[in-house]
Amino acid sequence: MIRLDKIGKQNGRQIVFIEASAALQKGEKAGLVGPNGAGKTTLFRMMTGQEQPDEGQVSSERGITIGYFSQDVGEMAGRTVVAEVMDGAGPVSVVAAELKELEAGLADPDRVDEMEALIERYGEVQARFEELDGYALEGRAYEVLAGLGFSQEMMDGDVGRLSGGWKMRVALARILLMRPDVMLLDEPSNHLDLESLIWLEAFLKGYDGALLMTSHDREFMNRIVSKVIEIDGGTLTTYSGDYGFYEQQRALNEQHQQAQFERQQAMLAKEIKFIERFKARASHAAQVQSRVKKLDKIERVEPPRRRQTVAFEFQPAPRSGDDVAMLKGVHKRYGSRIIYEGLDFSIRRKERWCVMGINGAGKSTLLKLITGTAEPDAGTVAVGGSVKLGYFAQHAMDLLDGDLTVFEDLESTFPQAGQGSLRALAGCFGFSGDDVEKPCRVLSGGEKARLVMAKMLYDPPNFLVLDEPTNHLDIATKEMLINALTGFEGTMLFVSHDRHFLAALSNRVLEVTGDGIRQYGGGYSEYVASTGQEAPGLRS
């Protein structure tokens, strides 16, 4: 449906693509992968015609519709959420808007003189709305929005009052409702909670068009795609299989290429040694000349381009007491909304609790109560003896000093630490070379999250409280974080919508529901096996 033939693209001095080729066929579901800055967004923009390649050709079948979801959602205001979503479906949205106006006019006592004309026009517009299957579309719009976590009140409210994250969901809903022939989705799993993520997964599995998407959620990607297109060093390489197969195949390819490189290097060294040894001897002149010509003709094997991944190892944290946190008879409400009523909950040393619950159930509130950033209305919250607490919250990223560089921020936090030690820390969390000189104000969401995490883990606490620590992190950084936290010997309490993270690190599950809390003795994998659901209220 869309084909890229030997495309070349350069942005300023950066060469993005060199004679790169790939194709997306009818009905295929493919993942687009590559390091940050490799050119994934540029590729999407070329596929939609927003950018042109410098060389080569991007071609698509005549008449196909393409829906492109990007992280840049633009301005939204002045309409209801459902109207904004339906607007992406074409002419029917204009008819729907007029129908709403006419309904308001028919109910307006001041327009009684126009009633006959209004009724006549209403009949015409309603007929056109039915012809365009408008009532079914409106129902589908509500269904998609509900799947993405919108309440009825939010759907009928002004889209302009929503936060940036919820506007992202509106933009995604527009593309899903459109059901184009080809969907290009750039990080659709960002800003979604676990329940919405699972709904989107099912929707995309049932979608019969072609799909190309990026995602930092490996589990989400693995369950949807059957083909992976990798951008690396300006080239496009296609792998037939899911994300797990791609990882295995890439590792095998690297091993094979490394072995070829090493064999060739050994052969070259042997030939060069011969040439150096006998080049001054007239008796060997012909042999030396022959070998020099042979070396000139050999096509050199390049070593594999290795992704830079640095392991982070915790310094041993001081041992805490066995009772890490205790909540007794805790009541908490916001206005008329009761969050907790008589909550009893305790955390013991080395337990790793993941907190599950639908939006608004009180997951983040629980973390705030335990960390002391929120007070209970009644009851007691106590943290045990020798507990050194580290709290990662989303708002911590907003507290970074924008005028400081990454390295200056680390230096100001740890004035006693050596430069080498801080540079090693920065490298572990993806800040290598000139990246440490970036001012904090220009950092992306993922870079800010990595910096906050680095500062928290350098002088390790023995009780980690993490609220969505994997938001904005790419797959490689998540993997590094999982590996680091696997070796962490302290206690953990965390909220995450990343199933790979949940399964790898939890050994206890706390499910927060409207009827109270439920505790499960195993980790997330055992929770799924025992309940038959991947998230509260959903059946797998």
Side-chain angles (χ1 to χ4, degrees), residues 120-319:
E120 186 179 346
R121 181 59 185 159
Y122 185 79
E124 293 167 1
V125 174
Q126 190 177 40
R128 177 65 178 144
F129 191 62
E130 286 175 355
E131 188 183 314
L132 291 169
D133 205 19
Y135 288 109
L137 186 77
E138 189 172 31
R140 275 176 43 221
Y142 279 110
E143 188 182 319
V144 168
L145 286 166
L148 292 176
F150 288 83
S151 65
Q152 187 70 44
E153 187 182 358
M154 291 171 78
M155 294 181 209
D156 295 327
D158 184 350
V159 69
R161 290 204 289 266
L162 296 178
S163 67
W166 283 101
K167 283 180 179 174
M168 286 276 199
R169 297 193 194 201
V170 172
L172 177 59
R174 286 179 65 151
I175 304 298
L176 301 182
L177 184 66
M178 179 184 172
R179 290 190 87 99
D181 298 313
V182 178
M183 269 195 219
L184 306 177
L185 304 180
D186 192 1
E187 295 295 343
S189 52
N190 274 6
H191 303 284
L192 296 185
D193 54 37
L194 185 53
E195 292 75 24
S196 302
L197 199 61
I198 292 166
W199 178 88
L200 178 60
E201 190 178 280
F203 184 97
L204 293 176
K205 280 180 181 175
Y207 166 63
D208 55 9
L211 168 69
L212 181 66
M213 70 171 188
T214 63
S215 176
H216 290 336
D217 188 319
R218 64 182 294 146
E219 193 68 29
F220 178 71
M221 178 94 83
N222 228 5
R223 294 182 184 204
I224 294 169
V225 307
S226 56
K227 170 176 168 176
V228 172
I229 300 172
E230 179 192 51
I231 306 177
D232 192 13
T235 63
L236 292 170
T237 307
T238 300
Y239 296 81
S240 294
D242 61 13
Y243 186 82
F245 173 82
Y246 151 73
E247 280 193 313
Q248 291 172 350
Q249 197 60 46
R250 180 186 164 85
L252 284 173
N253 291 352
E254 280 188 355
Q255 287 173 12
H256 180 63
Q257 192 174 343
Q258 183 67 28
Q260 278 188 311
F261 173 74
E262 287 172 3
R263 280 197 300 271
Q264 189 180 71
Q265 288 298 303
M267 181 273 289
L268 292 173
K270 187 178 176 184
E271 294 295 313
I272 290 166
K273 187 177 179 183
F274 179 90
I275 292 164
E276 288 297 318
R277 184 178 175 190
F278 295 110
K279 67 182 177 183
R281 297 189 191 180
S283 60
H284 286 73
Q287 281 178 286
V288 167
Q289 199 58 37
S290 170
R291 294 197 181 198
V292 168
K293 285 181 181 176
K294 179 183 166 186
L295 287 188
D296 286 342
K297 289 179 182 176
I298 289 174
E299 188 176 334
R300 298 294 196 266
V301 175
E302 294 292 325
R305 284 187 295 269
R306 298 195 184 279
R307 299 277 169 82
Q308 188 175 23
T309 54
V310 186
F312 177 77
E313 291 184 12
F314 280 95
Q315 298 300 315
R319 190 186 189 283

Side-chain angles (χ1 to χ4, degrees), residues 302-359:
E302 294 292 325
R305 284 187 295 269
R306 298 195 184 279
R307 299 277 169 82
Q308 188 175 23
T309 54
V310 186
F312 177 77
E313 291 184 12
F314 280 95
Q315 298 300 315
R319 190 186 189 283
S320 72
D322 288 339
D323 292 316
V324 174
M326 294 76 68
L327 291 81
K328 290 184 180 174
V330 167
H331 291 253
K332 184 67 181 176
R333 66 164 63 211
Y334 292 113
S336 60
R337 192 159 67 93
I338 296 169
I339 308 295
Y340 293 114
E341 203 166 24
L343 171 65
D344 293 321
F345 175 54
S346 63
I347 300 171
R348 304 271 293 168
R349 190 172 73 87
K350 288 200 171 186
E351 289 180 339
R352 297 169 171 222
W353 287 91
C354 69
V355 186
M356 311 282 293
I358 61 170
N359 261 352

Side-chain angles (χ1 to χ4, degrees), residues 393-420:
Q394 295 301 307
H395 72 265
M397 295 186 286
D398 301 327
L399 303 178
L400 294 170
D401 186 335
D403 294 330
L404 295 180
T405 67
V406 169
F407 194 73
E408 286 168 348
D409 188 84
L410 290 173
E411 276 190 315
S412 67
T413 309
F414 307 110
Q416 305 302 318
Q419 286 217 350

Side-chain angles (χ1 to χ4, degrees), residues 14 33-41 186-187 214 216 231 307 430 435 438 444-447 450 472-477:
Q14 185 196 5
V33 302
N36 286 341
K40 296 189 287 291
T41 299
D186 192 1
E187 295 295 343
T214 63
H216 290 336
I231 306 177
R307 299 277 169 82
D435 287 342
K438 280 185 180 178
S444 67
E447 288 170 325
R450 295 203 309 266
H472 310 291
L473 299 185
D474 61 27
I475 289 176
T477 310

